[in-house]
Amino acid sequence: MINWIKWLVVGAIALLAVVAAVAYTTLYLSLPRLEGNSSTYHVAQPTQLSRDSLGHAVINAEGILDAAYALGFAHAQDRFFQMDLQRRAASGNLSDWVGKAALEIDKNARFHQFEQRAQAVFDNLPSKQQELLIRYSHGVNEALNEFTTLPFEYIAAGVEITQWRPTDSILVIYSMYLDLQGGQVNLDLARTALKDTFGEEIYRFITQPSHYQAALDGSELPLSDAPVPEYPNILSQANDTVSVTHINQNRYSYDGTELPDIGSNNYAVSGELTATGAGLLANDMHLSLRVPIIWYRAQLNYSEAGENISVTGVSLPGLPGIVVGTNGHIAWGFTNANLDNVDWVALNSDTPTTTVTQTIPLPGTYNESADSESADHASAGHEFTMEMSEFGPVKTINGKRYALNWVAHHDFAANLAIVDFGRVKTVDDALLIARKIAIPTQNLVVVDSKGSGAWTPGGAVLNREKASYTAISEEQMRNNTPQPAVSLPVVKNPSSKRIWTANARVISAEDLPRLGDGGYALGARGQQIRERLFEKDRFTETDFYAIQLDNHAQFLIPWHNLLSGLLTMHNVEFKPDLSYLNTWGACACEDSVGYTLVKHFRREVVQMLFGEILSTLDKQGVQSRSLLRGIEPATWQLIHNQPNSWLPHGTGTFDELLVDAYRRAKNKLLDKYSPLEANMDTLRWGSVNKLKVKHPFSAQIPFFGDMLNMDEVEGFGDTYMPAVQSTGFGASQRFFASPGHLEKAILTLPGGQSGHPLSEFFTAGFNDYATQAATPLLPGEPIYSRTFYKKEEE
């Protein structure tokens, strides 16, 4: 019996060993070939693709078209899974991979009909940009053809790789529209529902301006002097017919997690504030962090019009060219501008619409976009039906129909003009290029080697005499034919010698009626960056790095003071809590329990005050959480004025409400992080906000899934401060460059170049990010190299 059990165990171990060996061999065979020579019809001259010890792709080509081919080849070797995810996310084809769990995501994407729009955009591109996308796609597909074994993601999902089309690169741009401007689409609809449901007074109260304003010209919007409105009658009347318990549950159960003050930071100083006389730029774009990371290190070296060009920075797999970087003469970076680029059009009751029906492929069904030759083998997926009007796709909210006019829906929404930054030498020339760029609207900050610096909106902007925040009429829409704006503001070499943007309002108060508010960040982060820039008169790359890592809790200090005062009045119950608050450090620091308590106290207060209002909107089919980004002034007005009508039933005073909010916040935290011991030491901010950069498939792969993730990192930042970080969100790159002095330039990324877990580049560079070290921007000596030669026509 014992021998039988022993041999059973040995056999099981042997079987596991065989399975592991087969899995390893399969993975190993899918590693790309990084060395050698190749011949192709798709380069005009010999083109070299090298990689250094970080996997930094260095391309040496005769012209930009050959460089695009080699970049496509490199992207496909290291990141095709990421590219595929982005085109699927934009076209509404994720369900084909992951099944019904992604249906709602796909329906949302197909509402915008990006697959069809991508072809129209491509057809309208200049011929040079079309050829760039064609050459790039040839590079991608020739790299795919080299795979002897499919990458593990495709084996795990049980799907085949489909070839890359030039229009798929347009879909990648659309995926960034969904990521960067999708919130605008939700915000205008939420504003409309708020106003229609609760009236003008409540609408103005919840959407009022705050004192957190940091526009570049110093202009400020007037703060509201209107009295606090009564709690909405529609809710008060409804509450008269239900129990107190049910009413309070409505308030307390709202689970609309507040949109963090997210986006990105970029800032710059002119040459008067640097030792070299050149401008200095910092850029850290805040995005969701996952494996593989979004950005890809690349240097493109090529000739154009007889001039040698070298552009270094981050590229976006799926697109040719450098998105953020430097050519040695200029350096540029982006943050989300949040200008208003959305109109919801309230349709008349008799306005005709048409019905569009599509089939969303599910696993095992045919994907219409993949391969026209297989059309005869189509099988049924999920049928998706939507309404279309002359103004755009239609949604119905509370029985009313609204059509969406979004800049992303127009032919002028996307192009590749950004590649022209490669040949620019001055800020003035960069500003001319900025007028041609068509991407989701960004705050472009650019500096040059001569010491100049400038800001301007870069990207596609709707031209309107007046921006809209809630739905407009059909008549208003007909009088405002969609076209790109041609007159956009510029701030060049300001007298302060400093420029900053952080997703809040950068434009002047004078420009606001025309360019609008598409969901600005509150402004606290922008103010804090501005203050740091005025603390010194000389800056280096290291000084700029310190600003990106600034986790001082300036925004939460009033909340800390409020909470400390409340708990002091209940000293017996909260004596241990007060000790944590007294040592909170006024920072989102790893060891601060007090920071965790203050942050979650604020969140609970907001939910108790506004939860029922927002839940009512959610039930109408809108996403009310988009309204929370600007909720701060209304919240403090209620705290200061303490109107009885806003108190939950059964609560006698605002002090009771606030103390109850703290108890609830604390109990939720302990239930989550220490359910048995109720140990408050477990609420250290570094643990609660631990950074976890994960592969989307890691949770589905038993035993080995964790090997796909980066090491977890103690949380050190948060929202409403320059060092933005949550558990899966943060600086997607840390970039610092002074044109003409790139030997000191820095580019630190939260992961490696390759998405292949057996690649030596899978985690290369992540440790620098985790330890807040400075990774050089410029590539090192090459350790691998491939050369592509032109194949002669047969």
Side-chain angles (χ1 to χ4, degrees):
M1 180 67 177
I2 294 175
N3 286 338
W4 180 81
I5 294 174
K6 180 178 74 173
W7 286 111
L8 183 64
V9 172
V10 170
I13 293 173
L15 180 61
L16 287 174
V18 170
V19 170
V22 170
Y24 180 87
T25 302
T26 302
L27 273 176
Y28 182 81
L29 290 174
S30 65
L31 281 167
R33 181 163 65 94
L34 304 182
E35 292 188 295
N37 299 328
S38 304
S39 59
T40 174
Y41 292 116
H42 304 299
V43 297
Q45 298 293 332
T47 301
Q48 187 179 60
L49 166 61
S50 302
R51 290 175 171 89
D52 70 0
S53 60
L54 282 176
H56 193 151
V58 180
I59 293 167
N60 291 285
E62 184 66 24
I64 191 171
L65 295 178
D66 288 355
Y69 168 88
L71 185 60
F73 197 96
H75 281 167
Q77 283 190 312
D78 290 330
R79 299 287 192 86
F80 187 73
F81 168 65
Q82 173 191 347
M83 297 164 61
D84 208 351
L85 275 181
Q86 289 193 269
R87 68 172 170 178
R88 286 174 178 273
S91 61
N93 282 303
L94 287 174
S95 299
D96 190 25
W97 268 23
V98 300
K100 294 182 179 179
L103 276 176
E104 290 307 312
I105 298 173
D106 282 347
K107 289 177 184 179
N108 178 64
R110 288 180 177 242
F111 179 78
H112 302 292
Q113 298 185 306
F114 285 142
E115 186 107 43
Q116 300 92 313
R117 299 185 196 281
Q119 186 63 55
V121 166
F122 179 83
D123 292 342
N124 283 311
L125 289 177
S127 59
K128 177 185 174 182
Q129 294 184 26
Q130 290 180 337
E131 186 60 29
L132 272 173
L133 292 179
I134 292 170
R135 289 287 193 94
Y136 177 85
S137 65
H138 283 314
V140 171
N141 292 326
E142 293 199 343
L144 296 181
N145 291 338
E146 285 193 353
F147 283 125
T148 57
T149 301
L150 290 176
F152 79 92
E153 295 96 343
Y154 294 87
I155 296 174
V159 296
E160 295 293 321
I161 285 180
T162 57
Q163 295 281 288
W164 192 262
R165 303 166 299 182
T167 52
D168 288 337
S169 292
I170 307 298
L171 288 174
V172 171
I173 298 177
Y174 283 139
S175 75
M176 296 308 293
Y177 265 102
L178 289 171
D179 199 9
L180 299 175
Q181 285 193 10
Q184 289 190 21
V185 175
N186 297 325
L187 176 59
D188 274 23
L189 207 55
R191 286 167 170 163
T192 298
L194 176 66
K195 187 174 181 179
D196 289 349
T197 304
F198 297 112
E200 181 77 18
E201 197 175 19
I202 289 291
Y203 169 77
R204 294 293 179 193
F205 177 61
I206 287 179
T207 61
Q208 64 181 293
S210 78
H211 68 273
Y212 294 103
Q213 301 182 42
L216 283 177
D217 70 342
S219 61
E220 295 191 357
L221 304 177
L223 302 182
S224 173
D225 57 2
V228 174
E230 292 291 302
Y231 194 70
N233 284 333
I234 185 173
L235 296 179
S236 299
Q237 292 167 1
N239 289 344
D240 290 339
T241 64
V242 296
S243 69
V244 170
T245 300
H246 180 73
I247 294 164
N248 288 342
Q249 283 176 347
N250 283 347
R251 286 205 177 195
Y252 299 155
S253 64
Y254 174 71
D255 196 30
T257 304
E258 181 177 2
L259 282 170
D261 192 50
I262 60 176
S264 311
N265 304 322
N266 63 359
Y267 42 96
V269 294
S270 60
E272 293 98 322
L273 302 186
T274 67
T276 63
L280 178 61
L281 171 77
N283 190 222
D284 57 322
M285 296 178 284
H286 303 150
L287 292 165
S288 296
L289 302 182
R290 59 182 180 270
V291 177
I293 56 175
I294 188 167
W295 304 115
Y296 184 87
R297 298 174 182 274
Q299 182 181 82
L300 308 182
N301 302 291
Y302 57 91
S303 299
E304 190 169 19
E307 181 181 357
N308 293 330
I309 293 172
S310 180
V311 192
T312 310
V314 292
S315 59
L316 179 62
L319 289 172
I322 300 298
V323 177
V324 166
T326 176
N327 65 1
H329 301 287
I330 66 167
W332 70 94
F334 293 114
T335 68
N336 212 15
N338 292 324
L339 303 184
D340 183 53
N341 275 308
V342 169
D343 290 311
W344 283 98
V345 184
L347 300 181
N348 298 329
S349 58
D350 58 350
T351 297
T353 61
T354 58
T355 299
V356 175
T357 301
Q358 300 179 29
T359 299
I360 301 176
L362 294 169
T365 67
Y366 167 67
N367 182 345
E368 295 176 16
S369 66
D371 182 22
S372 59
E373 295 179 1
S374 302
D376 293 338
H377 301 95
S379 59
H382 177 86
E383 194 172 89
F384 169 60
T385 302
M386 56 179 285
E387 274 189 277
M388 285 293 298
S389 73
E390 63 176 299
F391 305 106
V394 177
K395 278 194 174 183
T396 300
I397 303 294
N398 272 351
K400 296 181 181 179
R401 297 178 302 162
Y402 300 93
L404 177 61
N405 171 44
W406 182 20
V407 68
H409 291 175
H410 301 293
D411 294 350
F412 55 82
N415 64 30
L416 297 181
I418 196 171
V419 300
D420 292 335
F421 276 150
R423 57 182 170 80
V424 166
K425 290 186 171 59
T426 67
V427 161
D428 287 334
D429 291 338
L431 293 173
L432 293 176
I433 299 297
R435 292 291 166 265
K436 303 175 183 178
I437 292 174
I439 56 176
T441 315
Q442 301 292 293
N443 290 308
L444 167 65
V445 174
V446 58
V447 297
D448 64 27
S449 59
K450 300 182 184 303
S452 289
W455 159 86
T456 192
V461 180
L462 283 175
N463 184 50
R464 290 176 293 183
E465 292 184 6
K466 187 175 182 180
S468 66
Y469 297 164
T470 58
I472 62 175
S473 67
E474 291 186 20
E475 291 69 30
Q476 288 173 292
M477 187 64 206
R478 285 195 177 91
N479 293 331
N480 201 4
T481 304
Q483 57 185 329
V486 293
S487 176
L488 294 172
V490 173
V491 174
K492 178 190 169 188
N493 293 333
S495 59
S496 70
K497 306 176 183 61
R498 297 162 174 87
I499 293 172
W500 59 90
T501 84
N503 314 111
R505 179 177 62 88
V506 176
I507 61 174
S508 68
E510 182 180 349
D511 284 325
L512 184 64
R514 177 171 63 96
L515 298 176
D517 175 358
Y520 291 130
L522 181 67
R525 179 159 44 93
Q527 281 188 349
Q528 198 159 324
I529 292 171
R530 179 187 64 188
E531 290 176 9
R532 296 293 179 259
L533 289 174
F534 279 92
E535 288 177 350
K536 300 184 68 172
D537 292 324
R538 274 284 186 273
F539 292 92
T540 65
E541 290 84 352
T542 302
D543 295 326
F544 268 22
Y545 205 148
I547 295 175
Q548 279 193 12
L549 299 177
D550 177 17
N551 64 356
H552 177 57
Q554 187 168 304
F555 171 75
L556 282 182
I557 287 175
W559 286 98
H560 172 270
N561 294 339
L562 172 66
L563 180 58
S564 297
L566 286 166
L567 300 194
T568 299
M569 293 188 293
H570 300 75
N571 185 53
V572 175
E573 179 184 354
F574 297 115
K575 188 174 182 179
D577 309 62
L578 284 166
S579 67
Y580 289 113
L581 293 176
N582 291 336
T583 58
W584 79 310
C587 66
C589 296
E590 292 94 329
D591 60 352
S592 180
V593 174
Y595 184 88
T596 305
L597 298 175
V598 174
K599 176 187 173 66
H600 285 263
F601 164 64
R602 175 187 177 273
R603 176 182 172 180
E604 198 68 30
V605 170
V606 170
Q607 291 195 23
M608 290 177 69
L609 291 173
F610 299 99
E612 194 171 13
I613 293 173
L614 300 177
S615 294
T616 301
L617 300 181
D618 288 341
K619 292 172 184 176
Q620 298 175 13
V622 302
Q623 296 185 22
S624 68
R625 66 193 296 259
S626 58
L627 296 167
L628 284 167
R629 188 168 288 166
I631 205 71
E632 193 72 1
T635 305
W636 277 105
Q637 275 188 268
L638 291 173
I639 292 171
H640 289 313
N641 290 278
Q642 303 191 1
N644 288 332
S645 68
W646 284 80
L647 288 173
H649 285 252
T651 303
T653 68
F654 255 79
D655 279 1
E656 287 181 32
L657 179 150
L658 296 171
V659 173
D660 187 38
Y662 175 71
R663 289 193 186 99
R664 296 177 63 84
K666 175 183 169 181
N667 290 336
K668 286 180 181 179
L669 285 166
L670 290 174
D671 286 346
K672 182 175 182 179
Y673 296 101
S674 185
L676 298 179
E677 296 86 359
N679 180 3
M680 290 185 67
D681 286 335
T682 62
L683 305 184
R684 297 172 61 257
W685 184 243
S687 300
V688 171
N689 197 43
K690 186 174 291 185
L691 178 63
K692 301 174 183 178
V693 183
K694 294 186 174 185
H695 192 285
F697 282 10
S698 64
Q700 283 73 48
I701 299 177
F703 305 114
F704 306 109
D706 284 344
M707 297 173 61
L708 301 177
N709 303 327
M710 298 294 112
D711 291 338
E712 294 183 358
V713 180
E714 286 271 273
F716 72 95
D718 191 22
T719 54
Y720 301 110
M721 59 182 58
V724 167
Q725 189 215 297
S726 66
T727 55
F729 189 94
S732 63
Q733 41 81 257
R734 298 173 182 147
F735 174 59
F736 312 92
S738 181
H741 308 277
L742 299 185
E743 70 282 356
K744 297 179 181 179
I746 297 167
L747 176 60
T748 305
L749 298 179
Q753 281 281 90
S754 174
H756 197 297
L758 294 187
S759 169
E760 63 194 278
F761 307 132
F762 184 62
T763 62
F766 177 75
N767 188 60
D768 280 357
Y769 184 90
T771 59
Q772 302 165 8
T775 310
L777 165 72
L778 296 178
E781 291 297 316
I783 61 173
Y784 297 108
S785 185
R786 286 193 65 162
T787 302
F788 305 98
Y789 293 96
K790 180 174 177 58
K791 183 185 290 186
E792 297 300 327
E793 300 285 345
E794 297 178 0

